[in-house]
Amino acid sequence: MNMAARYPFQASEAKWQDCWRSRNTFAATDAIPKKPYYVLEMFPYPSGNIHMGHVRNYTLGDVIARFRKAQGYDVLHPMGWDAFGLPAENAAIQNKVHPKVWTDSNMATMRQQLQRMGLAYDWSRELATCSPDYYKFEQMFFLAFLDKGLAYRKKSYVNWDPVENTVLANEQVIDGRGWRSGALVEKREQMQWFLKITAYADALLDGLQHLNGWPEKVRLMQEKWIGKSVGAHVDFRLTHNGEVLRVFTTRPDTLFGAAFVAISPNHPLAAQCAAVDAGLADFIKACNAIGTSEAAIEQQEKQGYKTTLTVEHPFKTNASLPVYVANFVLMDYGTGAVFGCPAHDQRDFEFARKYDLPIIPVVRPDAHNEADITQAAYTGDGVLYHSDFLDGLPVVIAKQTAIARLEQSKAGSAYTTYRLRDWSISRQRYWGCPIPVVHCPSCGVVPVPAAQLPVTLPEDITLGKPGNPLADHPTWKHTICPTCGGKAERETDTFDTFFESSWYFLRFTCKDADQPFDKNMIKAWLPVDQYIGGVEHAVLHLLYARFFVKALRDCGFIDLDEPFNNLMTQGMICHATYKAEDGTWLFPH
């Protein structure tokens, strides 16, 4: 007798699922829970069908929810849809259907599949981020962030995905390619909206120390991504006019080993030089053919262009260093300029070898032995030599002494910087939450009044043309300035979809409330007791969600420091994969 004959699963599963549904077995209490337990899996993007990764992820949450309920807990186990995004827009173009129709259809299919699995969800709390009833609140949050100085707009070099025709945050660039399209990312300069996540760099770092229920790997990934660097600003003076070229360094102790100064291709000084040097202009253009992420920068061949400029050494009298424009220097890290000490930095070592620059050792392992730097830089600890007033000092003391001398001579100062960049939230696409501001010729950028929220998307949209569909709409962008009553235009960029997923877990606690949150419910249910999802979101969703909670707290919306007490990264269902030389995916055959 086979298994199907012994267990009539179709009839039996349907029977019990009907029973659970009629009794609201898995519905969370609407009152303040006496013994709360909140279990949540990262909600899915409605792509059209549940896959085996979903099955694994949601089964884990189901087991935990049922176990805690059996233990007598008031369990909150909701489900919703991360429903905005480029894939829906691209599919709509391909299938000649509106993105909302495509998304709603996929949600219906996937909802039926999840319900057929018999998962213990409270479906009464279902939400979709593409609903105006949901995104009107994040428009409210944005305006609060804008008022508090946590949201701002500026011209910036951005990662441009030429396939999806939109900007990507650094976290969305993987190995120099768009995280969804796989296309090689390019560098562009344009106006963008940002959230000031860097204002929370220390708070995000400090908070990691208390997340004992998180995998160590994820905490380490976030720590490295935030990348706190303690060092100094060093002011090198241009020899021809005495103007200052400011450099950030974590190794001021190695200044006596400096062989060159390098600036970013996008540094203002590089632009000045390129204006009279066609070769440099071509070099800068080639540098801008790649993205702005550190991964893209690090993986390319290190190249430089020697300018006619030189700078004075801050410690050596009558000594100067050449200035290069280098493709490995990031404009938005530190000051966009570095000094190179080839003997004690491997990247600088390779650069010096390539361009025949001096390699001067200034750190040795101890007072009696010198390091071998014939084949590679020495990057270990040790004591200083060949360094005048720093000779004989251990590295840690030499750093402090060098900074003190810089400050004394007004040639620099102590400074701390971060690898973390502010979060670029502008996307030049249709299927996303509109950014609630207008641009007035007289008043500038003007927030949309709260009474006029939500700013909704137009339904009569034409997709498939190059560029931003909202900017191309004949009427939607034209509006009236809330301040002066004159003609104005709506912001046509939409939010990065990670904006929506950075707070959905809060809304589940009070889905039908007129305000975004019920503070009593937030206090009762949050932080999430058990969160489940892929480790690939360590420096995307998980970092953004932590920042968002802190920003919402500081704007008075909630009283909460961290969103997730315990995190389970479930791994992936995978098999051997293959790529062509151009980086595109191949089928096994």
Side-chain angles (χ1 to χ4, degrees):
M1 182 180 293
N2 61 36
M3 182 63 72
R6 284 188 291 156
Y7 174 56
F9 60 89
Q10 290 193 2
S12 184
E13 294 289 313
K15 170 189 171 183
W16 288 109
Q17 288 168 24
D18 286 343
C19 179
W20 297 333
R21 193 177 301 111
S22 64
R23 297 180 181 180
N24 291 322
T25 302
F26 304 121
T29 177
D30 290 327
I32 301 297
K34 295 179 180 178
K35 191 179 179 182
Y37 193 91
Y38 189 175
V39 56
L40 182 67
E41 307 91 64
M42 294 180 186
F43 65 167
Y45 173 75
S47 57
N49 283 288
I50 294 297
H51 56 65
M52 286 307 298
H54 290 131
V55 172
R56 184 181 191 184
N57 198 39
Y58 301 143
T59 298
L60 290 170
D62 183 73
V63 170
I64 294 170
R66 290 173 182 272
F67 176 67
R68 291 302 187 189
K69 189 172 183 65
Q71 289 184 315
Y73 284 90
D74 294 317
V75 174
L76 173 59
H77 187 211
M79 174 51 68
W81 310 98
D82 193 8
F84 269 140
L86 276 171
E89 190 166 331
N90 292 338
I93 294 169
Q94 183 177 351
N95 297 309
K96 295 180 173 55
V97 63
H98 195 282
K100 185 179 188 305
V101 173
W102 189 84
T103 301
D104 287 347
S105 174
N106 288 350
M107 287 192 296
T109 298
M110 294 173 71
R111 183 187 305 111
Q112 182 182 41
Q113 292 170 341
L114 288 172
Q115 290 175 342
R116 194 176 183 190
M117 287 175 63
L119 301 172
Y121 287 126
D122 179 358
W123 284 101
S124 70
R125 295 176 185 249
E126 180 184 7
L127 59 79
T129 60
C130 63
S131 166
D133 288 339
Y134 179 85
Y135 68 69
K136 68 181 179 183
F137 293 121
E138 70 189 44
Q139 291 177 342
M140 181 190 301
F141 302 153
F142 175 81
L143 296 180
F145 295 163
L146 189 62
D147 184 61
K148 201 171 182 64
L150 294 177
Y152 66 95
R153 187 171 182 256
K154 72 169 184 177
K155 183 171 279 191
S156 174
Y157 283 94
V158 296
N159 302 303
W160 181 261
D161 188 315
V163 171
E164 295 193 327
N165 288 308
T166 190
V167 168
L168 302 177
N170 278 342
E171 294 87 345
Q172 295 166 324
V173 179
I174 310 300
D175 296 332
R177 295 177 180 271
W179 73 302
R180 286 195 187 275
S181 71
L184 281 170
V185 170
E186 302 168 359
K187 191 184 300 180
R188 286 191 181 184
E189 187 179 29
Q190 62 186 55
M191 294 298 293
Q192 290 285 286
W193 284 100
F194 292 86
L195 292 186
K196 205 168 185 179
I197 189 173
T198 54
Y200 289 81
D202 281 326
L204 290 166
L205 271 177
D206 295 342
L208 291 173
Q209 309 309 313
H210 306 291
L211 296 178
N212 298 320
W214 282 42
E216 181 63 25
K217 177 181 179 181
V218 175
R219 290 192 290 172
L220 184 61
M221 289 170 72
Q222 288 204 4
E223 180 181 341
K224 288 184 177 298
W225 189 262
I226 295 167
K228 185 175 184 177
S229 297
V230 178
H233 277 156
V234 182
D235 292 339
F236 290 87
R237 292 198 174 274
L238 295 167
T239 55
H240 72 287
N241 63 8
E243 291 184 1
V244 167
L245 173 58
R246 176 162 286 183
V247 163
F248 174 77
T249 179
T250 59
R251 294 298 305 272
D253 55 306
T254 64
L255 271 164
F256 283 97
F260 65 94
V261 168
I263 61 177
S264 165
N266 305 123
H267 194 284
L269 192 57
Q272 290 178 28
C273 295
V276 294
D277 186 337
L280 176 56
D282 289 340
F283 176 79
I284 291 173
K285 184 177 180 180
C287 292
N288 287 337
I290 66 163
T292 66
S293 70
E294 278 194 53
I297 300 295
E298 285 300 320
Q299 288 173 9
Q300 66 180 333
E301 180 187 358
K302 307 303 181 286
Q303 294 182 332
Y305 189 99
K306 188 177 182 180
T307 71
T308 59
L309 303 177
T310 58
V311 292
E312 299 172 3
H313 195 289
F315 290 154
K316 293 181 180 180
T317 304
N318 298 323
S320 63
L321 303 172
V323 177
Y324 283 78
V325 177
N327 65 351
F328 56 81
V329 183
L330 291 164
M331 187 59 219
D332 59 354
Y333 176 77
T335 64
V338 301
F339 81 82
C341 179
H344 304 293
D345 182 281
Q346 188 58 32
R347 183 190 62 192
D348 296 346
F349 181 88
E350 294 168 1
F351 192 82
R353 281 279 189 90
K354 184 170 186 174
Y355 295 104
D356 195 25
L357 296 166
I359 300 176
I360 307 166
V362 293
V363 179
R364 53 187 176 186
D366 54 57
H368 308 289
N369 299 291
E370 293 194 12
D372 179 9
I373 58 168
T374 57
Q375 301 301 319
Y378 173 67
T379 58
D381 202 1
V383 297
L384 275 290
Y385 73 126
H386 295 163
S387 297
D388 197 345
F389 63 91
L390 298 176
D391 284 352
L393 296 177
V395 165
V396 64
I397 302 299
K399 288 180 180 180
Q400 299 169 6
T401 306
I403 292 172
R405 181 65 65 92
L406 288 167
E407 292 176 341
Q408 180 184 351
S409 61
K410 293 182 171 49
S413 60
Y415 192 77
T416 299
T417 191
Y418 301 86
R419 182 177 181 265
L420 182 68
R421 300 290 168 269
D422 280 344
W423 176 10
S424 170
I425 57 170
S426 292
R427 298 296 179 266
Q428 294 69 40
R429 305 303 295 170
Y430 165 72
W431 193 235
C433 173
I435 297 176
V437 299
V438 302
H439 300 278
C440 174
S442 301
C443 306
V445 176
V446 181
V448 173
Q452 295 180 20
L453 300 180
V455 177
T456 57
L457 293 167
E459 294 189 6
D460 57 332
I461 194 72
T462 300
L463 301 175
K465 295 181 180 179
N468 185 341
L470 287 176
D472 191 52
H473 193 280
T475 60
W476 181 84
K477 65 183 178 182
H478 300 295
T479 187
I480 301 300
C481 174
T483 300
C484 71
K487 292 182 178 180
E489 289 193 358
R490 295 190 185 280
E491 173 62 67
T492 56
D493 284 356
T494 52
F495 286 137
D496 175 13
T497 54
F498 280 99
F499 204 104
E500 282 86 54
S501 60
S502 293
W503 68 280
Y504 78 104
F505 46 88
L506 299 168
R507 185 62 182 170
F508 274 136
T509 66
C510 43
K511 175 183 174 290
D512 296 322
D514 293 334
Q515 295 301 310
F517 308 120
D518 180 322
K519 284 191 174 182
N520 291 325
M521 285 299 185
I522 296 290
K523 184 177 180 180
W525 288 112
L526 273 294
V528 173
D529 293 284
Q530 183 64 66
Y531 200 40
I532 305 169
V535 73
E536 66 271 18
H537 291 295
V539 295
L540 284 163
H541 162 61
L542 290 168
L543 185 62
Y544 292 151
R546 294 185 61 224
F547 156 68
F548 224 84
V549 162
K550 296 177 190 302
L552 288 173
R553 175 202 63 196
D554 291 349
C555 289
F557 288 102
I558 57 176
D559 297 313
L560 187 67
D561 294 325
E562 291 285 349
F564 314 119
N565 262 346
N566 297 288
L567 173 68
M568 181 190 299
T569 52
Q570 85 285 0
M572 302 175 72
I573 304 293
C574 58
H575 60 86
T577 58
Y578 304 86
K579 277 187 175 181
E581 289 183 357
D582 64 359
T584 56
W585 293 103
L586 298 174
F587 288 105
H589 65 269

